[in-house]
Amino acid sequence: MTRAFIEHPIKMYIRRDLGITVEQFGKLAGIPQSTLATWIKRERRVEKLPIDFYSALATVRQQKIEVVYGELLKWQQRYDRYKQERLAAEEGRRIYRKYRGRKMESQLLEPARRLRKAIDQLNVQAFIQVMIEIYSTVEIPMPTWIVKSFNKSELKEIGQAFYNELLMKG
């Protein structure tokens, strides 16, 4: 199921871990707020930020730079997962609407049962096979991100987000 709203790792770290606003951090660190806003808007990845940024965070947080970097990477991972779950949920709604538009909702019941089983068993292959069947029934291509993004650790959250929207909310 989709978790609580998560924003860009820069915002999350500054707001949650430092307990200040992005604007306040910019003033403390001497980094223009416009620079921070651009990084956030363009969704610049934590790994691509300049060392001066990590250094400023470490100074404000009074921690070693490697600790700050590790915490930022954890926020990046959470943010990536959150975005994948949202994408999967939207895809589940889209597929349900396709079935509903063709008055074929009842044809989702059996594949959905097998989808649920694959998610519960963390069986990536079975999950993908059912997804192929679901997409082929309404004759639309399955997005490549679905196949690329699923491994056992992600299947539970992302598969569940798709499943929930497919069956429960549509």
Side-chain angles (χ1 to χ4, degrees):
M1 199 139 148
T2 303
R3 297 182 193 124
F5 183 70
I6 295 179
E7 296 180 277
H8 190 278
I10 292 173
K11 278 187 172 181
M12 296 304 284
Y13 186 85
I14 292 171
R15 288 182 182 166
R16 297 251 181 109
D17 295 347
L18 296 181
I20 60 177
T21 67
V22 174
E23 294 78 15
Q24 289 170 325
F25 171 75
K27 287 178 185 170
L28 281 172
I31 299 173
Q33 201 277 328
S34 60
T35 299
L36 296 169
T38 299
W39 292 345
I40 293 166
K41 183 179 179 186
R42 294 184 179 167
E43 297 202 352
R44 192 156 179 200
R45 295 191 59 80
V46 165
E47 308 91 307
K48 304 287 185 182
L49 297 169
I51 190 74
D52 295 348
F53 175 69
Y54 307 125
S55 179
L57 286 172
T59 300
V60 172
R61 183 81 192 251
Q62 298 178 345
Q63 286 188 331
K64 292 182 177 183
I65 197 166
E66 58 268 19
V67 171
V68 168
Y69 183 72
E71 291 170 347
L72 274 167
L73 285 177
K74 287 178 187 172
W75 278 118
Q76 183 70 58
Q77 289 169 344
R78 290 181 200 141
Y79 184 61
D80 292 345
R81 180 73 52 89
Y82 173 76
K83 287 187 341 183
Q84 282 187 310
E85 287 177 20
R86 284 185 47 213
L87 188 61
E90 178 54 40
E91 189 62 18
R93 286 189 293 274
R94 183 176 86 92
I95 291 301
Y96 177 81
R97 287 191 301 266
K98 289 281 185 196
Y99 273 79
R100 186 181 64 208
R102 296 177 184 189
K103 301 192 184 322
M104 299 170 62
E105 300 100 321
S106 64
Q107 290 184 36
L108 275 173
L109 296 175
E110 179 55 28
R113 186 188 64 72
R114 287 183 280 121
L115 202 60
R116 169 83 268 147
K117 184 178 177 184
I119 293 167
D120 289 344
Q121 295 175 350
L122 298 178
N123 185 334
V124 177
Q125 271 191 311
F127 182 85
I128 296 301
Q129 286 173 346
V130 175
M131 293 292 280
I132 290 168
E133 179 184 332
I134 288 170
Y135 278 85
S136 65
T137 299
V138 287
E139 300 173 336
I140 60 172
M142 185 168 66
T144 55
W145 66 264
I146 289 177
V147 179
K148 289 180 183 176
S149 67
F150 288 110
N151 60 47
K152 284 186 180 186
S153 67
E154 295 171 335
L155 179 61
K156 194 73 173 172
E157 293 86 5
I158 296 167
Q160 188 68 48
F162 179 89
Y163 176 83
N164 286 350
E165 296 300 323
L166 181 70
L167 283 185
M168 297 178 192
K169 297 179 184 167

